[in-house]
Amino acid sequence: MTEYRHIKIPPQGEKITIEEGRLKVPDQPIVGYVEGDGIGPDITKACLRIWDAAVAKAYGGSRQIHWCETYLGEKASKLYDGNYCPDETLQALQELVVSIKGPLTTPVGGGFRSLNVALRQDLDLYACVRPVRHYAGVPSPLKNPGKVDVVIFRENTEDVYAGIEYKTGTPENEKVAKFLREEMKARFFEGAGIGIKPISEFGSKRLVRKAIQYAIDNGRESVTLVHKGNIMKFTEGAFRNWGYEVAREEFGNVTITEEQLYNEYKGKQPDGKIVVKDRIADIMFQMMLLRPEEFDVLATMNLNGDYLSDAIAAEVGGVGIAPGANIADHVAVFEATHGTAPKYANLNKVNPGSLLFSGVMMLEYMGWKEAADLITLVYPEVVLDGIVTYDFARQIDGATEVGTSQFADALIERIEGGVDVEAKRRAQQEQLAKERKQREIRRLLQPMEEMLDTGRVPHTVGDLMTRSLITVTDGETVEQAMHVMTENDVSSVVVEPNAAGDWGILTRRDIVTKIVRGSHNPATTRVADVATRPVESVSAETSIREAARIIADRNFSRLPVSQGDKIIGIVTEQDIFATVDKFGWAVDAN
Ligand code: NAP
């Protein structure tokens, strides 16, 4: 262990290490913590007691965290001669691998880097992870907040966080503007401030990789790539494409795309597979209000993730209880997501929930799920009893307002009283399985409605084609085929393969051009004589744009969709029209 000036490494504990790319957590691990400024000491003291109680109860004394205090912010400044971000703290956080911190004041002026930015940059904490779920009893603006249970993986190092900006009127701005106008032929208003957002393959892939790995480790059903790729193809669109690439190339045996879910599995999610899908950012805000149960793990670039994290947190109780973490490949710093709320400092008043649940995340990250579960299971019991801090008390009629430490006491009392964790976990799993089944049934029975409702944007012919094929055989008369069209209200029928194995198609237009114009009798003419054969078909993976091109170039009004030598569906001009009408040009994202 490194020798530190002020940091005292607890002698009884052992260091958390990384072996073969995985975290190795001893039974007596040393975990770092930063108390934080403002309300930091109040919530940290309360949470340390709760986490310790949960670990003691879950493991009967065989496991214990040995806490190691490290210093940032005002407390550091007093110890390290005005230095808010001492090097030895950064070194300790790196060495201890896992740590948790309260909120920190960023001193205004004087050229200080924000402490949070310093931490992220120096430790390369590239993934900001925010789980957002609802706990029974917590006030929420939603009708069914219990349906919200997502984990957001937000990229932490590029996009707007790369901080490439040029202020109007500066020589740098003029130089960049001149280059953009003269050499890149870009057009924009005079005197514009200029910002550049870089999105790299490396940055996108390592973030999505982490999100998918999390989904695998935690039995999640899907990973959604959130982007605005319909407008910014080479940054946001590229993020989406790189995300799919990671899924395919590195997790191909455990992931399927949403297209595959519908086209190959008919909407029924195969066991052990995670669905990787994508959504346009604006739709995502709508979806998280209307159909939050459709989403599980979200992978986002920096700015989209910033907006989304706070918006979704607000759905389930706000910053007072939203937890978070900044994670590198292995080193992780868990943190309260709110600030220092200085007006409440040392009043034993505020809600410890955000830091508390960040600690729950930390216990899960360490693989100590039993201790984490104890806290998440007793928390709603205490809140439902109306024992809450001021911020919830003002939203719950008849609640008993308690201070931070009394809230901790109530939780600890429940933890020590014992909870039937297994029974509660089983009930939760049964509920999840039930909800999953309901979603599958909807996907199977109403694929188009489901697509509209869940914000899925169709990309391929397989997404819009009609699957319930109406067929006739060569031997039937045209009159019989016409009855079939009328009864089923369709403008064409597919003709079963002939002896040579070729499929055919018979359309209303064929009736007009070949039967009526040619003065043939439909009652005596056989389908084989007028059907178009062989048919020109496309695969289900054909893009909508490509299908539209074929329809236009060949003057068709429909295209059969084939798989191998079988026709599996049909897509019409009308389907494409309806898709553009419903989804707008978002279909262009492909
Ligand atoms: P803030 O500290 O998050 O406080 C804003 C308001 O949020 C509080 O007045 C309070 O609302 C509510 N709130 C925050 N924490 C709460 C808790 N634990 N329980 C209940 N309510 C809570 O934001 P700020 O006032 O904008 O920032 C203050 C300082 O914190 C600044 O120096 C800023 O730089 C710093 N900051 C640090 C971090 C960080 O370290 N991660 C993050 C954000 C801000 P009511 O007054 O309505 O009760």
Side-chain angles (χ1 to χ4, degrees), residues 39 101 103-106 116 319-320 335-344 350-351 390-391 394:
I39 54 174
K101 69 179 250 304
L104 297 167
T105 311
T106 291
N116 296 311
V319 290
E335 64 173 6
T337 55
H338 53 70
T340 56
K343 64 182 173 186
Y344 298 123
V350 295
N351 192 338
Y390 83 97
D391 52 325
R394 66 190 171 189

